mmCIF file of all heavy atoms in Angstrom:
data_model
loop_
_atom_site.group_PDB
_atom_site.id
_atom_site.type_symbol
_atom_site.label_atom_id
_atom_site.label_comp_id
_atom_site.label_asym_id
_atom_site.label_seq_id
_atom_site.Cartn_x
_atom_site.Cartn_y
_atom_site.Cartn_z
ATOM 1 N N LYS A 1 69.492 -12.370 -11.075
ATOM 2 C CA LYS A 1 68.317 -11.530 -11.457
ATOM 3 C C LYS A 1 67.057 -12.217 -10.893
ATOM 4 O O LYS A 1 66.657 -13.271 -11.352
ATOM 5 C CB LYS A 1 68.233 -11.436 -12.984
ATOM 6 C CG LYS A 1 67.060 -10.650 -13.464
ATOM 7 C CD LYS A 1 67.185 -9.175 -13.206
ATOM 8 C CE LYS A 1 66.030 -8.444 -13.843
ATOM 9 N NZ LYS A 1 65.659 -7.281 -13.152
ATOM 10 N N VAL A 2 66.470 -11.574 -9.905
ATOM 11 C CA VAL A 2 65.208 -12.044 -9.329
ATOM 12 C C VAL A 2 64.223 -10.924 -9.465
ATOM 13 O O VAL A 2 64.477 -9.789 -9.007
ATOM 14 C CB VAL A 2 65.397 -12.437 -7.819
ATOM 15 C CG1 VAL A 2 64.054 -12.806 -7.234
ATOM 16 C CG2 VAL A 2 66.381 -13.548 -7.689
ATOM 17 N N ASN A 3 63.106 -11.184 -10.145
ATOM 18 C CA ASN A 3 62.096 -10.162 -10.330
ATOM 19 C C ASN A 3 61.354 -9.901 -9.028
ATOM 20 O O ASN A 3 60.971 -10.818 -8.321
ATOM 21 C CB ASN A 3 61.083 -10.542 -11.395
ATOM 22 C CG ASN A 3 61.705 -10.555 -12.755
ATOM 23 O OD1 ASN A 3 62.708 -9.878 -12.987
ATOM 24 N ND2 ASN A 3 61.103 -11.293 -13.679
ATOM 25 N N ARG A 4 61.207 -8.626 -8.721
ATOM 26 C CA ARG A 4 60.400 -8.243 -7.566
ATOM 27 C C ARG A 4 58.937 -8.472 -7.893
ATOM 28 O O ARG A 4 58.526 -8.302 -9.033
ATOM 29 C CB ARG A 4 60.608 -6.787 -7.217
ATOM 30 C CG ARG A 4 62.001 -6.449 -6.775
ATOM 31 C CD ARG A 4 62.117 -4.994 -6.382
ATOM 32 N NE ARG A 4 61.732 -4.143 -7.487
ATOM 33 C CZ ARG A 4 61.426 -2.868 -7.370
ATOM 34 N NH1 ARG A 4 61.459 -2.284 -6.200
ATOM 35 N NH2 ARG A 4 61.095 -2.141 -8.429
ATOM 36 N N PRO A 5 58.122 -8.820 -6.883
ATOM 37 C CA PRO A 5 56.712 -8.973 -7.136
ATOM 38 C C PRO A 5 56.107 -7.634 -7.583
ATOM 39 O O PRO A 5 56.527 -6.573 -7.098
ATOM 40 C CB PRO A 5 56.141 -9.394 -5.789
ATOM 41 C CG PRO A 5 57.314 -9.898 -5.005
ATOM 42 C CD PRO A 5 58.505 -9.186 -5.524
ATOM 43 N N HIS A 6 55.183 -7.682 -8.478
ATOM 44 C CA HIS A 6 54.519 -6.482 -8.977
ATOM 45 C C HIS A 6 53.192 -6.361 -8.185
ATOM 46 O O HIS A 6 52.514 -7.343 -7.951
ATOM 47 C CB HIS A 6 54.215 -6.609 -10.472
ATOM 48 C CG HIS A 6 53.796 -5.330 -11.103
ATOM 49 N ND1 HIS A 6 52.501 -4.868 -11.019
ATOM 50 C CD2 HIS A 6 54.500 -4.429 -11.813
ATOM 51 C CE1 HIS A 6 52.420 -3.718 -11.672
ATOM 52 N NE2 HIS A 6 53.621 -3.426 -12.145
ATOM 53 N N PRO A 7 52.814 -5.148 -7.775
ATOM 54 C CA PRO A 7 51.585 -4.988 -6.994
ATOM 55 C C PRO A 7 50.352 -5.512 -7.757
ATOM 56 O O PRO A 7 49.382 -5.942 -7.129
ATOM 57 C CB PRO A 7 51.470 -3.494 -6.777
ATOM 58 C CG PRO A 7 52.815 -2.954 -6.980
ATOM 59 C CD PRO A 7 53.527 -3.869 -7.920
ATOM 60 N N GLY A 8 50.362 -5.499 -9.062
ATOM 61 C CA GLY A 8 49.249 -5.979 -9.839
ATOM 62 C C GLY A 8 49.143 -7.467 -9.934
ATOM 63 O O GLY A 8 48.178 -7.994 -10.527
ATOM 64 N N ASP A 9 50.101 -8.212 -9.370
ATOM 65 C CA ASP A 9 50.083 -9.677 -9.418
ATOM 66 C C ASP A 9 49.043 -10.277 -8.513
ATOM 67 O O ASP A 9 48.672 -11.444 -8.675
ATOM 68 C CB ASP A 9 51.454 -10.247 -9.032
ATOM 69 C CG ASP A 9 52.522 -9.973 -10.074
ATOM 70 O OD1 ASP A 9 52.141 -9.669 -11.215
ATOM 71 O OD2 ASP A 9 53.705 -10.086 -9.732
ATOM 72 N N HIS A 10 48.605 -9.555 -7.557
ATOM 73 C CA HIS A 10 47.732 -10.101 -6.509
ATOM 74 C C HIS A 10 46.272 -9.803 -6.845
ATOM 75 O O HIS A 10 45.937 -8.751 -7.348
ATOM 76 C CB HIS A 10 48.121 -9.530 -5.154
ATOM 77 C CG HIS A 10 49.572 -9.790 -4.824
ATOM 78 N ND1 HIS A 10 50.028 -11.002 -4.418
ATOM 79 C CD2 HIS A 10 50.655 -8.985 -4.907
ATOM 80 C CE1 HIS A 10 51.339 -10.929 -4.243
ATOM 81 N NE2 HIS A 10 51.729 -9.710 -4.525
ATOM 82 N N PRO A 11 45.376 -10.745 -6.480
ATOM 83 C CA PRO A 11 43.947 -10.544 -6.770
ATOM 84 C C PRO A 11 43.254 -9.559 -5.824
ATOM 85 O O PRO A 11 42.174 -9.114 -6.080
ATOM 86 C CB PRO A 11 43.344 -11.939 -6.633
ATOM 87 C CG PRO A 11 44.271 -12.638 -5.684
ATOM 88 C CD PRO A 11 45.630 -12.072 -5.939
ATOM 89 N N LEU A 12 43.945 -9.236 -4.713
ATOM 90 C CA LEU A 12 43.388 -8.288 -3.754
ATOM 91 C C LEU A 12 44.382 -7.128 -3.594
ATOM 92 O O LEU A 12 45.562 -7.377 -3.278
ATOM 93 C CB LEU A 12 43.139 -8.966 -2.404
ATOM 94 C CG LEU A 12 42.650 -8.047 -1.266
ATOM 95 C CD1 LEU A 12 41.248 -7.520 -1.611
ATOM 96 C CD2 LEU A 12 42.610 -8.815 0.021
ATOM 97 N N LEU A 13 43.910 -5.933 -3.814
ATOM 98 C CA LEU A 13 44.766 -4.759 -3.713
ATOM 99 C C LEU A 13 44.229 -3.849 -2.613
ATOM 100 O O LEU A 13 43.043 -3.491 -2.650
ATOM 101 C CB LEU A 13 44.769 -4.000 -5.052
ATOM 102 C CG LEU A 13 45.569 -2.709 -5.144
ATOM 103 C CD1 LEU A 13 47.046 -2.993 -4.917
ATOM 104 C CD2 LEU A 13 45.332 -2.074 -6.489
ATOM 105 N N ILE A 14 45.056 -3.553 -1.645
ATOM 106 C CA ILE A 14 44.664 -2.647 -0.573
ATOM 107 C C ILE A 14 45.466 -1.367 -0.701
ATOM 108 O O ILE A 14 46.686 -1.393 -0.712
ATOM 109 C CB ILE A 14 44.894 -3.285 0.825
ATOM 110 C CG1 ILE A 14 44.060 -4.555 0.954
ATOM 111 C CG2 ILE A 14 44.587 -2.279 1.919
ATOM 112 C CD1 ILE A 14 44.321 -5.338 2.206
ATOM 113 N N ILE A 15 44.764 -0.255 -0.840
ATOM 114 C CA ILE A 15 45.398 1.041 -0.947
ATOM 115 C C ILE A 15 45.079 1.822 0.306
ATOM 116 O O ILE A 15 43.923 2.014 0.662
ATOM 117 C CB ILE A 15 44.904 1.817 -2.196
ATOM 118 C CG1 ILE A 15 45.226 1.034 -3.437
ATOM 119 C CG2 ILE A 15 45.501 3.219 -2.247
ATOM 120 C CD1 ILE A 15 44.642 1.647 -4.711
ATOM 121 N N PHE A 16 46.103 2.260 1.007
ATOM 122 C CA PHE A 16 45.929 3.009 2.225
ATOM 123 C C PHE A 16 46.306 4.444 1.952
ATOM 124 O O PHE A 16 47.446 4.741 1.568
ATOM 125 C CB PHE A 16 46.816 2.428 3.345
ATOM 126 C CG PHE A 16 46.692 3.208 4.634
ATOM 127 C CD1 PHE A 16 45.632 2.976 5.469
ATOM 128 C CD2 PHE A 16 47.633 4.144 4.989
ATOM 129 C CE1 PHE A 16 45.515 3.663 6.671
ATOM 130 C CE2 PHE A 16 47.539 4.854 6.180
ATOM 131 C CZ PHE A 16 46.464 4.621 7.012
ATOM 132 N N MET A 17 45.362 5.373 2.121
ATOM 133 C CA MET A 17 45.620 6.791 1.882
ATOM 134 C C MET A 17 45.598 7.528 3.213
ATOM 135 O O MET A 17 44.582 7.523 3.898
ATOM 136 C CB MET A 17 44.531 7.365 0.978
ATOM 137 C CG MET A 17 44.542 6.843 -0.426
ATOM 138 S SD MET A 17 45.956 7.390 -1.384
ATOM 139 C CE MET A 17 45.641 9.159 -1.488
ATOM 140 N N VAL A 18 46.716 8.150 3.543
ATOM 141 C CA VAL A 18 46.772 8.971 4.730
ATOM 142 C C VAL A 18 45.866 10.178 4.482
ATOM 143 O O VAL A 18 46.002 10.875 3.492
ATOM 144 C CB VAL A 18 48.207 9.433 5.024
ATOM 145 C CG1 VAL A 18 48.252 10.387 6.196
ATOM 146 C CG2 VAL A 18 49.111 8.229 5.282
ATOM 147 N N GLY A 19 44.934 10.394 5.368
ATOM 148 C CA GLY A 19 43.992 11.510 5.206
ATOM 149 C C GLY A 19 42.672 11.092 4.598
ATOM 150 O O GLY A 19 41.701 11.830 4.641
ATOM 151 N N GLY A 20 42.614 9.870 4.086
ATOM 152 C CA GLY A 20 41.347 9.362 3.547
ATOM 153 C C GLY A 20 41.109 9.713 2.086
ATOM 154 O O GLY A 20 41.931 10.364 1.456
ATOM 155 N N VAL A 21 40.014 9.243 1.567
ATOM 156 C CA VAL A 21 39.631 9.501 0.177
ATOM 157 C C VAL A 21 38.180 9.961 0.120
ATOM 158 O O VAL A 21 37.423 9.698 1.036
ATOM 159 C CB VAL A 21 39.814 8.230 -0.728
ATOM 160 C CG1 VAL A 21 41.247 7.868 -0.860
ATOM 161 C CG2 VAL A 21 38.999 7.078 -0.214
ATOM 162 N N SER A 22 37.844 10.588 -0.970
ATOM 163 C CA SER A 22 36.450 11.024 -1.157
ATOM 164 C C SER A 22 35.707 9.922 -1.944
ATOM 165 O O SER A 22 36.293 9.046 -2.534
ATOM 166 C CB SER A 22 36.423 12.346 -1.931
ATOM 167 O OG SER A 22 36.961 12.157 -3.220
ATOM 168 N N VAL A 23 34.386 10.072 -1.997
ATOM 169 C CA VAL A 23 33.534 9.111 -2.719
ATOM 170 C C VAL A 23 33.901 9.118 -4.218
ATOM 171 O O VAL A 23 34.036 8.056 -4.802
ATOM 172 C CB VAL A 23 32.052 9.411 -2.478
ATOM 173 C CG1 VAL A 23 31.166 8.561 -3.368
ATOM 174 C CG2 VAL A 23 31.698 9.187 -1.018
ATOM 175 N N PRO A 24 34.094 10.291 -4.867
ATOM 176 C CA PRO A 24 34.511 10.233 -6.286
ATOM 177 C C PRO A 24 35.860 9.550 -6.497
ATOM 178 O O PRO A 24 36.032 8.891 -7.530
ATOM 179 C CB PRO A 24 34.593 11.727 -6.677
ATOM 180 C CG PRO A 24 33.685 12.436 -5.708
ATOM 181 C CD PRO A 24 33.788 11.661 -4.434
ATOM 182 N N GLU A 25 36.773 9.678 -5.539
ATOM 183 C CA GLU A 25 38.075 8.965 -5.667
ATOM 184 C C GLU A 25 37.892 7.455 -5.578
ATOM 185 O O GLU A 25 38.520 6.690 -6.325
ATOM 186 C CB GLU A 25 39.051 9.459 -4.619
ATOM 187 C CG GLU A 25 39.548 10.863 -4.876
ATOM 188 C CD GLU A 25 40.377 11.395 -3.727
ATOM 189 O OE1 GLU A 25 40.038 11.163 -2.549
ATOM 190 O OE2 GLU A 25 41.388 12.082 -4.019
ATOM 191 N N VAL A 26 37.032 7.003 -4.694
ATOM 192 C CA VAL A 26 36.755 5.568 -4.569
ATOM 193 C C VAL A 26 36.134 5.047 -5.888
ATOM 194 O O VAL A 26 36.531 4.007 -6.387
ATOM 195 C CB VAL A 26 35.809 5.288 -3.366
ATOM 196 C CG1 VAL A 26 35.337 3.848 -3.385
ATOM 197 C CG2 VAL A 26 36.476 5.631 -2.081
ATOM 198 N N LYS A 27 35.206 5.811 -6.458
ATOM 199 C CA LYS A 27 34.605 5.417 -7.718
ATOM 200 C C LYS A 27 35.636 5.391 -8.848
ATOM 201 O O LYS A 27 35.650 4.446 -9.662
ATOM 202 C CB LYS A 27 33.466 6.368 -8.103
ATOM 203 C CG LYS A 27 32.740 5.969 -9.387
ATOM 204 C CD LYS A 27 31.622 6.891 -9.695
ATOM 205 C CE LYS A 27 30.862 6.550 -10.936
ATOM 206 N NZ LYS A 27 31.386 5.674 -11.922
ATOM 207 N N MET A 28 36.546 6.374 -8.864
ATOM 208 C CA MET A 28 37.590 6.406 -9.868
ATOM 209 C C MET A 28 38.482 5.145 -9.782
ATOM 210 O O MET A 28 38.753 4.511 -10.773
ATOM 211 C CB MET A 28 38.445 7.656 -9.719
ATOM 212 C CG MET A 28 39.604 7.730 -10.684
ATOM 213 S SD MET A 28 40.890 8.901 -10.185
ATOM 214 C CE MET A 28 41.401 8.274 -8.603
ATOM 215 N N VAL A 29 38.914 4.787 -8.558
ATOM 216 C CA VAL A 29 39.745 3.607 -8.362
ATOM 217 C C VAL A 29 38.985 2.365 -8.768
ATOM 218 O O VAL A 29 39.519 1.532 -9.496
ATOM 219 C CB VAL A 29 40.205 3.521 -6.903
ATOM 220 C CG1 VAL A 29 40.831 2.166 -6.624
ATOM 221 C CG2 VAL A 29 41.180 4.646 -6.575
ATOM 222 N N LYS A 30 37.739 2.259 -8.357
ATOM 223 C CA LYS A 30 36.916 1.072 -8.723
ATOM 224 C C LYS A 30 36.776 0.936 -10.243
ATOM 225 O O LYS A 30 36.944 -0.140 -10.790
ATOM 226 C CB LYS A 30 35.554 1.194 -8.033
ATOM 227 C CG LYS A 30 34.696 -0.010 -8.204
ATOM 228 C CD LYS A 30 33.404 0.117 -7.430
ATOM 229 C CE LYS A 30 32.561 -1.113 -7.651
ATOM 230 N NZ LYS A 30 31.277 -1.041 -6.987
ATOM 231 N N ASP A 31 36.500 2.052 -10.905
ATOM 232 C CA ASP A 31 36.353 2.017 -12.386
ATOM 233 C C ASP A 31 37.669 1.687 -13.093
ATOM 234 O O ASP A 31 37.692 0.903 -14.040
ATOM 235 C CB ASP A 31 35.809 3.356 -12.909
ATOM 236 C CG ASP A 31 34.370 3.612 -12.462
ATOM 237 O OD1 ASP A 31 33.700 2.660 -12.037
ATOM 238 O OD2 ASP A 31 33.952 4.785 -12.557
ATOM 239 N N LEU A 32 38.764 2.277 -12.628
ATOM 240 C CA LEU A 32 40.076 2.002 -13.229
ATOM 241 C C LEU A 32 40.444 0.510 -13.098
ATOM 242 O O LEU A 32 40.895 -0.112 -14.054
ATOM 243 C CB LEU A 32 41.167 2.856 -12.572
ATOM 244 C CG LEU A 32 41.401 4.222 -13.135
ATOM 245 C CD1 LEU A 32 42.376 5.000 -12.238
ATOM 246 C CD2 LEU A 32 41.939 4.157 -14.541
ATOM 247 N N VAL A 33 40.256 -0.021 -11.878
ATOM 248 C CA VAL A 33 40.613 -1.421 -11.661
ATOM 249 C C VAL A 33 39.719 -2.337 -12.478
ATOM 250 O O VAL A 33 40.169 -3.329 -13.029
ATOM 251 C CB VAL A 33 40.557 -1.759 -10.148
ATOM 252 C CG1 VAL A 33 40.703 -3.234 -9.903
ATOM 253 C CG2 VAL A 33 41.645 -0.986 -9.386
ATOM 254 N N ALA A 34 38.420 -2.016 -12.571
ATOM 255 C CA ALA A 34 37.480 -2.850 -13.330
ATOM 256 C C ALA A 34 37.829 -2.885 -14.815
ATOM 257 O O ALA A 34 37.683 -3.903 -15.461
ATOM 258 C CB ALA A 34 36.060 -2.337 -13.112
ATOM 259 N N THR A 35 38.279 -1.757 -15.365
ATOM 260 C CA THR A 35 38.582 -1.713 -16.805
ATOM 261 C C THR A 35 39.977 -2.210 -17.137
ATOM 262 O O THR A 35 40.183 -2.874 -18.129
ATOM 263 C CB THR A 35 38.436 -0.289 -17.400
ATOM 264 O OG1 THR A 35 39.273 0.605 -16.661
ATOM 265 C CG2 THR A 35 36.999 0.171 -17.313
ATOM 266 N N ARG A 36 40.952 -1.950 -16.284
ATOM 267 C CA ARG A 36 42.331 -2.299 -16.546
ATOM 268 C C ARG A 36 42.789 -3.619 -15.958
ATOM 269 O O ARG A 36 43.713 -4.216 -16.470
ATOM 270 C CB ARG A 36 43.263 -1.195 -16.082
ATOM 271 C CG ARG A 36 43.083 0.081 -16.870
ATOM 272 C CD ARG A 36 44.059 1.107 -16.384
ATOM 273 N NE ARG A 36 43.930 2.289 -17.207
ATOM 274 C CZ ARG A 36 44.949 2.898 -17.773
ATOM 275 N NH1 ARG A 36 46.149 2.412 -17.648
ATOM 276 N NH2 ARG A 36 44.768 3.949 -18.473
ATOM 277 N N LYS A 37 42.154 -4.059 -14.886
ATOM 278 C CA LYS A 37 42.595 -5.282 -14.196
ATOM 279 C C LYS A 37 41.368 -6.011 -13.680
ATOM 280 O O LYS A 37 41.184 -6.138 -12.471
ATOM 281 C CB LYS A 37 43.527 -4.888 -13.058
ATOM 282 C CG LYS A 37 44.351 -6.016 -12.515
ATOM 283 C CD LYS A 37 45.547 -6.241 -13.338
ATOM 284 C CE LYS A 37 46.427 -7.229 -12.597
ATOM 285 N NZ LYS A 37 47.353 -7.879 -13.443
ATOM 286 N N PRO A 38 40.493 -6.541 -14.574
ATOM 287 C CA PRO A 38 39.287 -7.229 -14.096
ATOM 288 C C PRO A 38 39.669 -8.441 -13.241
ATOM 289 O O PRO A 38 40.684 -9.084 -13.454
ATOM 290 C CB PRO A 38 38.594 -7.666 -15.391
ATOM 291 C CG PRO A 38 39.331 -7.072 -16.521
ATOM 292 C CD PRO A 38 40.613 -6.534 -16.005
ATOM 293 N N GLY A 39 38.843 -8.696 -12.254
ATOM 294 C CA GLY A 39 39.107 -9.813 -11.371
ATOM 295 C C GLY A 39 39.883 -9.408 -10.144
ATOM 296 O O GLY A 39 40.082 -10.218 -9.223
ATOM 297 N N THR A 40 40.363 -8.178 -10.082
ATOM 298 C CA THR A 40 41.069 -7.692 -8.897
ATOM 299 C C THR A 40 40.098 -6.953 -8.000
ATOM 300 O O THR A 40 39.300 -6.143 -8.470
ATOM 301 C CB THR A 40 42.201 -6.746 -9.316
ATOM 302 O OG1 THR A 40 43.113 -7.455 -10.154
ATOM 303 C CG2 THR A 40 42.967 -6.220 -8.117
ATOM 304 N N GLN A 41 40.169 -7.218 -6.737
ATOM 305 C CA GLN A 41 39.340 -6.505 -5.766
ATOM 306 C C GLN A 41 40.098 -5.357 -5.199
ATOM 307 O O GLN A 41 41.276 -5.470 -4.904
ATOM 308 C CB GLN A 41 38.928 -7.427 -4.627
ATOM 309 C CG GLN A 41 37.967 -8.517 -5.005
ATOM 310 C CD GLN A 41 37.565 -9.343 -3.783
ATOM 311 O OE1 GLN A 41 38.282 -9.415 -2.806
ATOM 312 N NE2 GLN A 41 36.414 -9.948 -3.859
#
């Protein structure tokens, strides 16, 4: 039994969206990460 790394383990998270994102989506991601996973960029 070897645990796979969890994406939330890393202090830097890069999300690549095919087609791009809108400004409200960027704000939503920034707010979610700030409240649920402080210290993650």
Side-chain angles (χ1 to χ4, degrees):
K1 178 72 174 149
V2 175
N3 290 338
R4 294 183 303 163
H6 192 280
D9 290 343
H10 304 283
L12 177 65
L13 178 63
I14 298 174
I15 299 174
F16 179 81
M17 292 291 294
V18 174
V21 293
S22 64
V23 173
E25 289 173 320
V26 171
K27 182 178 180 344
M28 176 197 60
V29 169
K30 186 176 179 182
D31 292 345
L32 273 172
V33 171
T35 57
R36 294 183 176 230
K37 196 84 171 159
T40 300
Q41 291 183 334

